[in-house]
Amino acid sequence: ISCKGEDLTDPVDLSKVPVQSVANMNAVQTNNGKLQMRMEAKLLQRFKNDEESYELFPDGFDVYAYNEEGLLETHIKSDIAKHTTTGVGSNKVEKWEAFGNVVIYNFIKGERLETDTLYWDREKGRIYTHSFVKMYTPQGFMQGYVLDSDERARNANILKPFDSYGIIRSDSTNMYIDTVNFIGPPRM
């Protein structure tokens, strides 16, 4: 309000502006000192209103999941992501969503999945989508709709596949090497 009592600007709707912004965010999840997951984002914006609160990652995000031996197993990246929380206490519900050029790498199995939208149910430890999915594996190529998998993409299944192909004969000397976790031969 100005000196004359007139409003000089329109009122700001606080539910539409972030209450917190974090640049170059890094988060780490451990269990008994062992790295389980790591998340990176260029920008996190937290919004809050009466019904829900959510974190928006407008410049994309990367999630890295590690197996029980501490090896990098899965990398999920997307153009945009959103984490929504509704309810309170025991009625609290979380929803994770990733949008735009979602790519899921499972380095240990040598698989890559591509889709446009991905959901993560943290409570059940599942990732899923109803969108179109492409899956590249050392055994072939698969595409279709409706993906269901554990959160580390160890057992990814396309439930409505079409026009896929597999490698019928495999050369036993052509072994897949996990280049992400490869250290090299032992030094003598």
Side-chain angles (χ1 to χ4, degrees):
I1 297 178
S2 69
C3 297
K4 296 180 182 179
E6 299 174 15
D7 290 337
L8 297 178
T9 63
D10 293 332
V12 176
D13 184 357
L14 295 177
S15 67
K16 295 192 180 356
V17 295
V19 295
Q20 180 183 25
S21 291
V22 178
N24 299 318
M25 188 215 63
N26 287 298
V28 175
Q29 178 183 341
T30 61
N31 186 12
N32 295 327
K34 275 191 153 181
L35 185 60
Q36 289 187 322
M37 279 193 191
R38 182 169 55 93
M39 188 173 80
E40 298 175 355
K42 291 179 185 172
L43 179 64
L44 171 141
Q45 295 177 320
R46 180 166 292 148
F47 295 84
K48 191 168 181 121
N49 60 37
D50 294 336
E51 294 84 34
E52 68 179 10
S53 66
Y54 64 93
E55 289 90 27
L56 185 65
F57 305 90
D59 297 331
F61 81 145
D62 293 271
V63 176
Y64 302 90
Y66 297 82
N67 69 5
E68 294 77 14
E69 289 82 37
L71 298 175
L72 177 59
E73 183 171 6
T74 308
H75 174 204
I76 300 174
K77 66 182 295 153
S78 72
D79 292 343
I80 300 171
K82 185 178 181 182
H83 172 235
T84 307
T85 308
T86 55
V88 291
S90 62
N91 296 328
K92 189 174 177 180
V93 177
E94 273 187 89
K95 184 164 83 172
W96 283 90
E97 305 165 281
F99 305 104
N101 299 313
V102 180
V103 181
I104 307 160
Y105 299 97
N106 183 303
F107 297 113
I108 293 177
K109 291 182 76 176
E111 294 180 349
R112 183 178 87 232
L113 291 104
E114 299 174 355
T115 187
D116 187 60
T117 304
L118 185 71
Y119 302 100
W120 177 37
D121 186 334
R122 193 175 86 149
E123 212 171 275
K124 294 179 181 175
R126 308 295 298 165
I127 56 174
Y128 62 94
T129 186
H130 300 286
S131 300
F132 176 67
V133 179
K134 292 181 186 178
M135 181 176 178
Y136 302 90
T137 73
Q139 292 79 34
F141 168 77
M142 197 172 183
Q143 64 183 344
Y145 294 91
V146 187
L147 168 77
D148 182 53
S149 178
D150 59 294
E151 62 191 355
R152 288 191 167 89
R154 290 177 181 162
N155 301 301
N157 293 313
I158 297 177
L159 302 178
K160 295 182 181 179
F162 64 88
D163 293 341
S164 302
Y165 65 86
I167 299 171
I168 303 298
R169 189 182 63 186
S170 180
D171 184 357
S172 63
T173 61
N174 186 11
M175 296 175 29
Y176 170 73
I177 296 174
D178 179 2
T179 58
V180 172
N181 296 304
F182 182 72
I183 296 173
R187 294 183 184 207
M188 299 292 177

